[in-house]
Amino acid sequence: MPANKPSEPHYSFVKKVWIVGLIFSLIAIILLLLEATFDILILILAGSLIACFFRGLGDLIHKKTSWSSKISLLTAVIGVILIVAGLSWLIGATVSSEIAKMEETFPKLLENAQNSLNGSRLGREASQQLEQIQSSEKVPEFLSRFFMTTFGGIGDIYIIILIGIFFTVSPYIYKEGVIKLIPPSQRERANDILERLVNGLTKWLAGKFIAMFAVFVLTAIGLAILGMPMWLTLAIIAGVLNFIPNFGPLAAMIPAVLVALTEDPTTALIVVIMYSAIQLFESSFITPRAQQRLIKIPPALIIISQIFVGALTGIWGVIFATPLMLIIIILVQELYVKPMERYGEN
């Protein structure tokens, strides 16, 4: 005789309507809170990336030297500070003077670029389109909103650095605090997921820095061979902006093309081809080799995430959309895909 199954609770129609209404209300409240605090979450993510960088570098020093973890971390932090200070001392004056010169001559560069474009029919059409875009009232409004940040540029950077310092010095305090919010039966799994998130972000950062350095070196060599003025500053801009997928390389190409147009249109065309070839080489060879055994994010998904997150948080969203998408993919795999596959096997 089959065992009696426990009777399922019976809800009246009114109770079901209330339950559905409460569920939708809860979802709406969560979405509103997420929209209101999303820019702050991006700043926390940026600070976490700083901690992942120093922790990853410290772990590398620890593996190579067998020093204690604290000494390795301290060596990593002091080493990075000394390297940055040394580079600033060696090339800081040159780069600062070139940036100041670029700011002074920027209106003239735009005028020269427009004169060069007016030399051909296609160029005249492009110049007219640019004038229409510049005269549009929607552009300043869009740019002011797009580049608007939470606390202002300096305030955001200050908060990111502070969060990065605290996460670097004592990450386990915050990690244990998050794990204690999880039911005891799931804490071990939560710890594993957090470890995978940290490892994924650290490997992504390592690969990104390798790609940025490669782009800087290749761009510097190419611009120096062409005899371009301000080649060092332009190469540094190309390397730094390579951190931002898709939009960064395009933004780095604009000042290089403007400077090249002061020489002649042929040089500008060569610069465009060179920048495009470097980015193609970086995206198809350097980055895949540097980020081996890391989750591959489809390029279209990166662009979509940059558009959506950028619309919510401005420029910080565009910069950090890729690591955010990496976190989402890892969480979906760990919390949904893998349990579903295990359930299917059983």
Side-chain angles (χ1 to χ4, degrees):
M1 182 176 178
N4 293 328
K5 294 182 180 180
S7 59
E8 296 181 359
H10 177 71
Y11 297 107
S12 64
F13 177 76
V14 175
K15 286 186 177 180
K16 290 180 180 180
V17 171
W18 274 104
I19 292 173
V20 172
L22 289 174
I23 291 174
F24 276 101
S25 300
L26 181 61
I27 293 174
I29 292 172
I30 292 174
L31 290 176
L32 289 173
L33 288 175
L34 184 61
E35 181 183 4
T37 61
F38 198 74
D39 47 0
I40 299 176
L41 295 177
I42 292 293
L43 297 183
I44 296 174
L45 172 61
S48 302
L49 289 176
I50 294 177
C52 288
F53 169 73
F54 284 117
R55 281 281 165 179
L57 187 57
D59 290 341
L60 179 63
I61 295 174
H62 174 68
K63 291 178 181 178
K64 298 294 182 181
T65 61
S66 298
W67 295 345
S68 66
S69 299
K70 291 184 179 179
I71 293 177
S72 299
L73 179 61
L74 185 62
T75 303
V77 174
I78 295 176
V80 170
I81 293 174
L82 291 177
I83 290 173
V84 172
L87 290 175
S88 300
W89 181 73
L90 288 173
I91 63 175
T94 302
V95 173
S96 298
S97 63
E98 289 184 353
I99 290 176
K101 181 180 177 182
M102 190 180 295
E103 290 177 351
E104 291 176 1
T105 59
F106 193 74
K108 185 163 178 138
L109 292 176
L110 289 176
E111 183 180 351
N112 291 336
Q114 190 171 7
N115 292 334
S116 298
L117 289 173
N118 289 332
S120 63
R121 184 178 63 83
L122 184 61
R124 285 192 295 272
E125 292 179 0
S127 180
Q128 291 175 0
Q129 292 295 328
L130 288 175
E131 289 178 357
Q132 291 178 3
I133 292 174
Q134 290 175 353
S135 61
S136 174
E137 296 180 356
K138 295 181 179 180
V139 173
E141 180 183 353
F142 170 76
L143 290 177
S144 62
R145 182 183 175 190
F146 187 77
F147 288 99
M148 181 180 62
T149 53
T150 311
F151 305 104
I154 302 299
D156 286 350
I157 293 173
Y158 179 72
I159 291 173
I160 290 171
I161 292 174
L162 277 182
I163 292 174
I165 291 173
F166 290 135
F167 283 178
T168 301
V169 173
S170 54
Y172 300 106
I173 295 177
Y174 307 100
K175 179 182 174 182
E176 292 299 323
V178 172
I179 291 177
K180 285 183 179 179
L181 298 175
I182 309 298
S185 60
Q186 299 295 325
R187 286 178 182 175
E188 184 176 356
R189 177 164 171 73
N191 183 70
D192 294 338
I193 294 175
L194 286 177
E195 288 292 333
R196 193 184 172 199
L197 287 173
V198 172
N199 292 334
L201 290 174
T202 302
K203 290 179 181 178
W204 175 83
L205 270 178
K208 203 64 185 176
F209 282 129
I210 292 172
M212 291 167 63
F213 181 74
V215 168
F216 161 72
V217 172
L218 293 174
T219 306
I221 293 173
L223 294 177
I225 292 174
L226 290 174
M228 285 272 294
M230 297 182 284
W231 62 270
L232 180 59
T233 301
L234 293 173
I236 292 175
I237 291 174
V240 171
L241 290 182
N242 192 68
F243 185 84
I244 309 173
N246 304 311
F247 301 106
L250 180 61
M253 188 190 300
I254 294 174
V257 173
L258 291 176
V259 173
L261 283 172
T262 60
E263 304 291 321
D264 55 78
T266 304
T267 304
L269 179 61
I270 294 174
V271 168
V272 171
I273 295 173
M274 184 191 73
Y275 269 65
S276 302
I278 290 173
Q279 289 305 318
L280 180 62
F281 179 71
E282 179 269 332
S283 60
S284 61
F285 181 78
I286 298 175
T287 297
R289 291 295 182 93
Q291 296 182 346
Q292 288 180 354
R293 288 175 284 180
L294 188 63
I295 293 175
K296 301 297 186 296
I297 306 177
L301 194 58
I302 295 177
I303 297 176
I304 293 171
S305 64
Q306 286 179 312
I307 294 173
F308 275 98
V309 182
L312 286 174
T313 62
I315 187 63
W316 291 126
V318 178
I319 295 174
F320 297 108
T322 305
L324 179 63
M325 183 56 58
L326 179 64
I327 291 173
I328 293 174
I329 291 176
I330 292 176
L331 290 177
V332 170
Q333 283 187 348
E334 294 292 331
L335 299 178
Y336 177 72
V337 176
K338 289 184 178 179
M340 182 179 62
E341 290 177 350
R342 284 195 295 265
Y343 178 79
E345 292 176 356
N346 296 331

